[in-house]
Amino acid sequence: MSGAGGRGCGSPVPQRAPWSLVAATAAFCLVSATSVWTAGAEPMSREEKQKLGNQVLEMFDHAYGNYMEHAYPADELMPLTCRGRVRGQEPSRGDVDDALGKFSLTLIDSLDTLVVLNKTKEFEDAVRKVLKDVNLDNDVVVSVFETNIRVLGGLLGGHSLAIMLKEKGEYMQWYNDELLQMAKQLGYKLLPAFNTTSGLPYPRINLKFGIRKPEARTGTETDTCTACAGTLILEFAALSRFTGATIFEEYARKALDFLWEKRQRSSNLVGVTINIHTGDWVRKDSGVGAGIDSYYEYLLKAYVLLGDDSFLERFNTHYDAIMRYISQPPLLLDVHIHKPMLNARTWMDALLAFFPGLQVLKGDIRPAIETHEMLYQVIKKHNFLPEAFTTDFRVHWAQHPLRPEFAESTYFLYKATGDPYYLEVGKTLIENLNKYARVPCGFAAMKDVRTGSHEDRMDSFFLAEMFKYLYLLFADKEDIIFDIEDYIFTTEAHLLPLWLSTTNQSIAKKNTTSEYTELDDSNFDWTCPNTQILFPNDPLYAQSIREPLKNVVDKSCPRGIIRVREESFRSGAKPPLRARDFMATNPEHLEILKKMGVSLIHLKDGRVQLVQHAIQAASSIDAEDGLRFMQEMIELSSQQQKEQQLPPRAVQIVSHPFFGRVVLTAGPAQFGLDLSKHKETRGFVASSKPYNGCSELTNPEAVMGKIALIQRGQCMFAEKARNIQNAGAIGGIVIDDNEGSSSDTAPLFQMAGDGKDTDDIKIPMLFLFSKEGSIILDAVREYEEVEVLLSDKAKDRAAILKGKMIPSYIINSNPEMENEEQSSPENDSQNQSAEQVSSSSQEVDSVDQESSEENSLNSYPESLSPADMDNAASISASEQTSNPTENHETTNLNGECTDLDNQLQEQSETEEDSNPNVSWGKKVQPIDSILADWNEDIEAFEMMEKDEL
């Protein structure tokens, strides 16, 4: 998701100007207000800005260079194993793989980034490679949304800058609109997806066979997300304006018109998913994050690029609803479109981090500053923004795929305010990327922000967006070879020229906007502002907004700060009963339940059941309170199920070949040394004999004082632990015997005991899937002496390497390494409790959320029993989702302060390679080759500071 470059500004237009006057200047002049900065943050010197800009360039070279060397022509780089990710050759990751179409995705997505970073020679070479190697006629089912924003947008962005460079007369003189012709070919391949009665596109399409044909393997879907259908207008309209073929813009406009007509008229909100045939809302929750985000973005930007007032009117109508119902500063919480005063969930996803940037473009600075600061505090706590976090800022989903949305908002806030505070924020992002995500073959996504473990993944958007925004943040105008203000950013940060607004205007502008509710005029008072409007008579304005939020995220486990929506007309009424406060023995609480239509039933087996009949509530308001109470009970149930479970652990290779740079996600054990309460265990690894560790070891001298490697299978985990402990091992790593298993695609394992007393096991035991275990085994084969660190979270590499022999190629390239002051990583006593639901040798009763006429709430007893062989508690990834329109809900009654870590894993069929002209074989690099690349990978060590994971 991205913003716009903006247009030139003159004098501020009058307040409440007509729509025709409040044009691009109204929405976008803020971007040019770089002369304003607020006191409280010291200005950053030009030298430091240049240094940081150069550091971004080096980081991009590291990521892009490793993709081209180890992955191209594959779609994406797998940075841990140094090879390309090819659809059908790797285990399916479900919907995530729908972005991959065997069309060299990362290269196309990076085209205009090369020009922004002033790498024009590399851009010219990249364009030639795209024209020579990329095939768009593959038998692959891809996401219409992802293909549009990444591939079509990437081709159009590349074309936009190619013709700009050609006009300058030095580069691309041979270029003759070849990228545009490829974009047009792709556009026609996507058009069959719009063959629905509503005009909303199917979510997926086969690049070769289209929709519905037997060989297409798609076309049976009924639902799509609002953003998926509403994030097409910029790319499709640009394609029409560039080529003169109006059909693309017409189809994208029709889809937007349909979504607008299907908005909920009383709230002016849209849901997350919609039926593409009937127009019925499937998911009726509404927010500004995943599933909706770029729909709002494209309404505002379509107005700027196309000059159609109806798009601005629609955006402002939606924005008014967002600020009425969803915005709870500094939070942005999903609500129900039919009952917008009722929160749909108590957590936020990372994709909403784009919204402060959009608010800047809208001109609403104060809430942008507030939400951005809240997000920054979350980042300072976890080093990265978790995929989802709760209203009291604990981890909900722990992954972080190196998303760029926060960097985007940081850039636009700096452009709007000139406040050097945002340069310091950008500096922190650079340091964290180098310190925690950088690996020898690129940058690896974070599998878990709490442990610092990595995922073998580097998405194309990381190169398309992250480096673009970070470079622009620190660049001066003369550092960029073209005027960025002449372009608008798409949601993937691709650049489209603003002159398209006056080109090929053959689309009839029909204002379909109608039936408005009365709006809050304050949302339309923002025009091209001067500093008096931005910072009214107070140079400390932005700082004064941020200051109250400095401590909003702390290391305690506070009660949620979610604002309870209490209708003002209920003056004198007590606040609704919250699930966390409920006591079944409190007569007053039971009376409140009755008023909310909730009955409490004591079952014969000692369990307690709660049942809600909305029609029995005293009023509709009480019925809503009852529904909220039941939803809170479901979340407390999820927390209770996870109460006694352990979070994932980390295995860090601290010697050859990674020197602490690669962190493997490990499953914990319910026995042995608890790494969260004791110092980490560090030692060299040695394979046990027998390898399964199921009998007395025949090589005790080999594992004495070392960490034993054991294969899973043939006996219980506790038995393996006792055998290696008796041989003198200081720890154990059990490696899965299921070849190809990986933490990327499977829920983590938690090793259970044997049903007996396991207090005799004193050493730590961790579990690795086959893929992660192979990384250690390969290193052992290459280097006999491999040292690892077993811990509850990744440790600071500077502290790990202190006093150790470091390879000369690292020291010689990094003279500061020897003199760098080392500090011990902070021992964070607030180690988060388990955020993943686990079960031991049995399935946990799931929450039944099917639609029925009543809400039911049950309390289930827990029991654990050992398995016959490897007693594994599989950490599940099922999400406890509460839909307000579903009335039958069951859950436990108890809950502690804990996190949620829901990871939905799906399997989808794989596609065969349909391009015989390009070699798609895996490029597996030997370790020596990987080490040779490290001469350019030194910047990470300069970023080593105290570890805050």
Side-chain angles (χ1 to χ4, degrees), residues 548-569:
L549 301 173
K550 290 296 185 182
N551 298 318
V552 70
V553 179
D554 56 38
K555 293 185 177 181
S556 66
C557 191
R559 292 188 173 186
I561 69 167
I562 176 174
R563 184 179 74 201
V564 181
R565 296 179 176 271
E566 300 176 42
E567 289 72 17
S568 59
F569 60 81

Side-chain angles (χ1 to χ4, degrees), residues 36-51:
V36 182
W37 67 276
T38 56
E42 290 297 323
M44 184 176 287
S45 67
R46 175 166 173 78
E47 290 73 21
E48 186 173 3
K49 287 178 63 178
Q50 286 181 330
K51 179 181 178 181

